[in-house]
Amino acid sequence: MKSKSLAAIAAAVLTLGVSASVVAGSGADASPRPAAHTDKSTIEHFSITGIGNRQVVIAHGAFVGGGRDVSKGQHDLLHLGGGMLTIRHPNSQSHYTAHFNSKTCYGTFKITGHYTVGRGTGRFAGVTGDGRYRVHGEAILKHTASGACNQRGAPKVLAEYIKAHGPVSMP
């Protein structure tokens, strides 16, 4: 099918902040630790894995931390232990492609875009930066009363894998 067929899923994912609203997964917040080097600016990597409305984040590079990602529309709050960071990812700077099977309502999607990081608290106060992200996801759409795939509502099941990286400046 055409990539616009799953546009509703990608739009829903973007509307929900690249990821669904999040509740703490395992509660495994890790205290951030500085990386072994002492550079004030280096590349930071973020890995976010989400199933449904639960997401876990791991960060490494200038600092190391892990915890949960709470989505707030076009920005996310990364709770990394010892503080948090705000990630902004405007929908207007995102690009998506999607494909789905109209019989099974199973689909896959990819989203790429730009983000900025800042507004840190605790150990992350003063951290700023920006970079690029990639989302790979799959979803099963709900069926409408007529049996068609509901392309306008939230998916029945959603799994997504987000990778982001870019330079950050440490205070």
Side-chain angles (χ1 to χ4, degrees):
M1 294 308 262
K2 294 181 181 179
S3 63
K4 289 186 179 182
S5 299
L6 197 59
I9 288 179
V13 170
L14 288 171
T15 300
L16 294 172
V18 176
S19 52
S21 297
V22 177
V23 178
S26 63
D29 285 354
S31 296
R33 295 184 182 90
H37 49 81
T38 58
D39 291 346
K40 292 285 185 184
S41 178
T42 190
I43 302 298
E44 187 66 22
H45 300 269
F46 300 96
S47 295
I48 302 171
T49 301
I51 303 293
N53 67 348
R54 297 180 185 269
Q55 294 203 306
V56 193
V57 60
I58 294 175
H60 67 92
F63 53 85
V64 174
R68 61 190 171 104
D69 171 8
V70 177
S71 180
K72 301 283 187 177
Q74 294 186 52
H75 71 275
D76 288 41
L77 302 176
L78 304 182
H79 297 264
L80 298 169
M84 68 180 180
L85 284 169
T86 299
I87 303 282
R88 281 191 21 84
H89 46 84
N91 293 350
S92 63
Q93 296 179 10
S94 300
H95 173 73
Y96 67 87
T97 57
H99 305 279
F100 89 104
N101 181 308
S102 61
K103 292 181 181 177
T104 64
C105 294
Y106 168 80
T108 62
F109 61 92
K110 294 179 185 180
I111 305 170
T112 58
H114 180 264
Y115 72 89
T116 58
V117 63
R119 294 184 179 173
T121 65
R123 294 181 186 239
F124 304 105
V127 172
T128 60
D130 67 339
R132 306 283 304 160
Y133 67 86
R134 291 184 322 270
V135 180
H136 295 274
E138 43 191 336
I140 299 173
L141 300 176
K142 295 176 184 174
H143 288 86
T144 63
S146 67
C149 300
N150 184 351
Q151 297 179 37
R152 302 221 185 267
K156 184 178 186 179
V157 179
L158 173 67
E160 54 197 346
Y161 317 95
I162 303 165
K163 292 286 193 175
H165 66 279
V168 295
S169 294
M170 304 289 289

